[in-house]
């Protein structure tokens, strides 16, 4: 197992089984860049750590079910299902938040982590935002799909 795979596995562990915002932030280089579907482009360890803190606060007992995992050179790729119950406030990039819905979520996603010198320097996360919002019961009725 290479360094990229090790760091991606540490990130998954820190986001789910042993949630730890400090560990999450320190896995990223100070000048790391992350691309997320809901938070946009994030620059720097602190911004990325804050993005993940908001998610771990919103879904504090999350799990991750791996479907596939790869390591190609300096990049690790995971496809899996992130699951949990929304028991904390859901914060949005504009600073607004919603109280916990108490609903279960099960979201399929893919993430890529590129590593250099023992830290993640580039991170890309993809998941279906509409599916996430639908499962939380936050979509207008005309867009909502049966769960």
């Amino acid at each position: 197992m290479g360094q990229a795979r090790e760091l991606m596995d540490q990130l998954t562990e820190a986001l789910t089984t042993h949630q730890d915002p400090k560990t999450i932030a320190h896995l990223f280089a100070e000048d790391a860049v992350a691309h997320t579907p809901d938070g946009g482009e994030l620059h720097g360890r602190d911004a990325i750590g804050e993005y993940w803190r908001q998610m771990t606060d919103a879904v504090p007992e999350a799990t991750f079910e791996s479907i596939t995992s790869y390591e190609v050179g300096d990049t690790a790729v995971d496809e899996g299902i992130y699951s949990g119950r929304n028991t904390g406030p859901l914060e949005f990039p504009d600073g607004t938040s919603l109280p916990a819905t108490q609903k279960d979520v099960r979201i399929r996603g893919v993430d890529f982590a590129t590593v250099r010198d023992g830290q993640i320097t580039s991170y890309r996360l993809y998941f279906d935002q509409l599916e996430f919002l639908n499962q939380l019961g936050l979509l207008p009725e005309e867009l909502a799909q049966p769960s």
Side-chain angles (χ1 to χ4, degrees):
M1 177 175 6
Q3 189 175 62
R5 180 79 261 146
E6 288 178 22
L7 287 172
M8 180 71 98
D9 290 347
Q10 288 175 27
L11 177 61
T12 300
E13 179 83 5
L15 289 169
T16 57
T17 309
H18 297 102
Q19 288 186 349
D20 182 357
K22 286 184 182 181
T23 296
I24 294 166
H26 288 290
L27 290 171
F28 291 88
E30 286 188 35
D31 61 348
V33 176
H35 298 269
T36 69
D38 53 342
E41 187 174 297
L42 307 169
H43 293 268
R45 169 188 292 160
D46 293 340
I48 297 166
E50 176 62 13
Y51 171 83
W52 282 118
R53 184 208 52 81
Q54 292 171 8
M55 183 56 88
T56 58
D57 285 355
V59 186
E61 294 183 10
T63 61
F64 182 77
E65 175 189 337
S66 178
I67 296 171
T68 58
S69 62
Y70 303 99
E71 182 178 46
V72 181
D74 62 356
T75 301
V77 182
D78 278 348
E79 176 187 14
I81 298 172
Y82 179 85
S83 303
R85 181 176 291 255
N86 172 227
T87 59
L90 189 63
E91 297 180 35
F92 296 103
D94 68 0
T96 61
S97 67
L98 292 173
T101 64
Q102 303 303 322
K103 295 193 178 198
D104 292 326
V105 295
R106 184 171 166 82
I107 305 158
R108 187 176 186 135
V110 176
D111 56 342
F112 300 78
T114 300
V115 171
R116 184 180 68 243
D117 298 328
Q119 293 186 302
I120 300 169
T121 57
S122 174
Y123 181 78
R124 293 168 309 286
L125 171 66
Y126 300 95
F127 66 88
D128 186 335
Q129 291 182 75
L130 286 177
E131 177 185 13
F132 181 52
L133 294 173
N134 185 55
Q135 290 179 28
L136 291 173
L138 299 175
L139 287 182
E141 190 173 312
E142 62 273 8
L143 294 176
Q145 297 291 319
S147 299

